[in-house]
Amino acid sequence: MRSWVLSVSAAVLLLASGCAGGNAESEALLREHGLEGASTEEVVERLDRTHEDRAAGLAGSVTYDEVVLTDGGSEAVLPMPEDRFYLAVAPWTTTTHECFHHSLSGCQGELVGEEFDVRVTDDAGRVLLDRTLTSYENGFVGLWLPKDITGTLEITSDAGTATQQVSTSADDPTCLTTVRLA
């Protein structure tokens, strides 16, 4: 019995030290890029707005559950908020790209610095978002929406208007590049 307890204790100690190593690596990566102490939302918004971290070699991918950051040598995994979904939308008129999980450092939309009136309503008709947003350096606007909803996205700008169905479940894209303004 005693040897079993010691074995379990040793296993717990090994797991804890392995986790601590992963956390140290994550903390070092975040610190190196000036993201230490930032919430997942703050990290996503900062990295999505500019190309600064792309030039520094930091890459990030947004999924339903997490944001994975890497600089080629180290990796940090940040949990997404339990009740929020990040949808990066790149309205376009001439050119677009295929995408599913938004790359905070790799995706580039066509319309940079453009102003958009953005409205999202859920299937029950509740308005979830109704704001004027300016697209980032990467041509995207970032929308924080409730998880696990379906609804309608309407975007209007000087370039035109688009309406598209959206969903925010685990099987849905975090990168929406099919919103063509006409």
Side-chain angles (χ1 to χ4, degrees):
M1 172 73 167
R2 181 177 174 168
S3 63
W4 180 82
V5 171
L6 288 175
S7 296
V8 169
S9 298
V12 168
L13 184 60
L14 285 172
L15 285 172
S17 64
C19 291
N23 288 340
E25 180 181 337
S26 293
E27 289 172 13
L29 176 71
L30 295 172
R31 186 175 39 260
E32 181 179 331
H33 293 279
L35 300 168
E36 186 176 37
S39 69
T40 300
E41 294 99 322
E42 291 167 334
V43 169
V44 167
E45 289 172 7
R46 175 175 159 200
L47 297 181
D48 213 15
R49 289 181 189 278
T50 71
H51 291 302
E52 291 172 20
D53 292 294
R54 182 185 305 187
L58 183 63
S61 180
V62 180
T63 70
Y64 178 85
D65 293 314
E66 61 193 18
V67 176
V68 179
L69 303 174
T70 183
D71 64 3
S74 299
E75 182 176 280
V77 178
L78 307 174
M80 286 296 282
E82 202 171 290
D83 60 344
R84 298 183 79 198
F85 184 94
Y86 189 73
L87 181 62
V89 180
W92 63 281
T93 58
T94 306
T95 186
T96 189
H97 66 280
E98 287 188 33
C99 187
F100 193 84
H101 289 129
H102 183 54
S103 171
L104 296 168
S105 56
C107 286
Q108 182 63 52
E110 172 186 19
L111 304 173
V112 175
E114 298 286 326
E115 207 169 84
F116 299 97
D117 292 323
V118 180
R119 182 179 175 97
V120 178
T121 55
D122 68 12
D123 282 347
R126 290 183 297 261
V127 176
L128 303 174
L129 179 74
D130 191 2
R131 296 182 37 205
T132 299
L133 302 171
T134 302
S135 58
Y136 308 141
E137 289 178 21
N138 63 4
F140 282 79
V141 292
L143 312 178
W144 286 101
L145 301 170
K147 280 187 175 177
D148 303 316
I149 59 102
T150 57
T152 304
L153 167 69
E154 300 171 58
I155 295 184
T156 303
S157 76
D158 291 341
T161 300
T163 303
Q164 184 163 331
Q165 291 300 117
V166 293
S167 298
T168 62
S169 71
D171 296 329
D172 291 313
T174 58
C175 188
L176 191 59
T177 58
T178 55
V179 180
R180 186 173 190 185
L181 300 171

